[in-house]
Amino acid sequence: MGVEDASNSNSSSQCDVDDKNNTLVVLNVYDLTPINNYMYWFGFGIFHSGIEVHGKEYGFGAHDFPASGVFEVEPRKCPGFIYRCSITLGQINMNPSEFRTFIENMAGEYYGDTYQLLSKNCNHFTDDVSYRLTGKRIPGWVNRLAKLGTLCSCLLPESFQVTGVKQLPEYHECSEDEFVESLSTATPHGSTEIDDEQEKHLLSPSAGAEDVTFVKESRVK
């Protein structure tokens, strides 16, 4: 009886741990423009999206530096966008620490200066995260205009094809020592120096975006 009770207790404890690690993967979709209210019904629109896991939302934005463009915000409250809806993509069994390692690895693949409106935007990021976590893609309508733009890129101005939309604050949260190190390696637009105004803008979130935190990418050892 004692052995059986201990076994049942251990099994129950393991179930409790598994239950705590189970978390939904949710896609939060935002409007970039009020025109979406009309375009949405025709299957089109200009959208931003973020992935919500373990009570935080993660997105991808553009800046001029070779550092993480992946950021976290409170779910459904991404500054600068109009929240539209949430879509449950699936459920995973991954504790917060394991997920943090996962998203930091993703941050190493999504630098702010690699953002491309048609080929590597915020919706490509959420689609990639969703597929890696759940094996499912995000709904096609979320990124449909980018896909159509890629097919018709020959008709678009060159500047539109290569320029990322900078909707998010251009700062990377780090310690003082890490920031000094980043100044020695970051060379936006081929420049070898960062002037005082650029430095201030890099470190300081824009007005209304105090709750945005960039995810520090994991370093290859």
Side-chain angles (χ1 to χ4, degrees):
M1 287 289 291
V3 173
E4 183 177 350
D5 289 343
S7 177
N8 289 337
S9 177
N10 290 335
S11 176
S12 176
S13 297
Q14 184 60 47
C15 287
D16 290 341
V17 171
D18 289 341
D19 287 343
K20 290 180 180 179
N21 292 338
N22 284 337
T23 184
L24 293 176
V25 178
V26 178
L27 182 75
N28 293 326
V29 183
Y30 301 79
D31 292 326
L32 268 69
T33 169
I35 296 176
N36 279 2
N37 290 329
Y38 304 98
M39 299 174 66
Y40 176 79
W41 300 108
F42 296 98
F44 294 96
I46 307 174
F47 302 102
H48 167 77
S49 64
I51 287 281
E52 180 182 345
V53 179
H54 282 303
K56 284 289 185 180
E57 180 178 316
Y58 300 85
F60 173 52
H63 57 67
D64 294 330
F65 297 88
S68 170
V70 176
F71 60 91
E72 66 179 46
V73 296
E74 289 300 311
R76 301 175 295 283
K77 294 182 180 179
C78 188
F81 304 105
I82 306 167
Y83 172 72
R84 171 171 285 276
C85 65
S86 295
I87 302 166
T88 300
L89 300 169
Q91 181 172 287
I92 58 172
N93 186 272
M94 181 182 290
N95 66 46
S97 178
E98 291 172 333
F99 178 76
R100 190 67 187 183
T101 299
F102 167 83
I103 202 67
E104 287 178 355
N105 287 333
M106 292 289 295
E109 300 177 28
Y110 284 85
Y111 279 11
D113 63 349
T114 67
Y115 184 104
Q116 294 287 331
L117 186 62
L118 298 182
S119 60
K120 194 175 183 179
N121 64 33
C122 57
N123 301 319
H124 291 106
F125 169 75
T126 54
D127 184 61
D128 192 8
V129 173
S130 174
Y131 186 73
R132 296 193 197 192
L133 290 177
T134 70
K136 297 179 182 178
R137 299 292 186 182
I138 67 173
W141 58 266
V142 176
N143 207 27
R144 183 165 291 153
L145 282 187
K147 293 176 182 177
L148 291 176
T150 301
L151 293 174
C152 305
S153 60
C154 58
L155 303 177
L156 296 174
E158 183 178 356
S159 60
F160 184 77
Q161 295 180 41
V162 300
T163 302
V165 177
K166 298 180 181 179
Q167 294 284 349
L168 298 163
E170 300 178 12
Y171 76 102
H172 182 64
E173 205 172 69
C174 57
S175 68
E176 183 177 353
D177 290 339
E178 289 168 340
F179 178 66
V180 171
E181 180 183 350
S182 72
L183 290 183
S184 66
T185 58
T187 54
H189 298 308
S191 172
T192 57
E193 296 182 357
I194 296 179
D195 59 33
D196 292 341
E197 190 62 30
Q198 286 176 312
E199 180 179 330
K200 179 180 178 181
H201 191 50
L202 175 67
L203 290 176
S204 304
S206 60
E210 292 83 358
D211 295 330
V212 174
T213 303
F214 277 76
V215 175
K216 179 180 177 182
E217 68 273 14
S218 60
R219 296 179 182 271
V220 179
K221 297 182 179 179

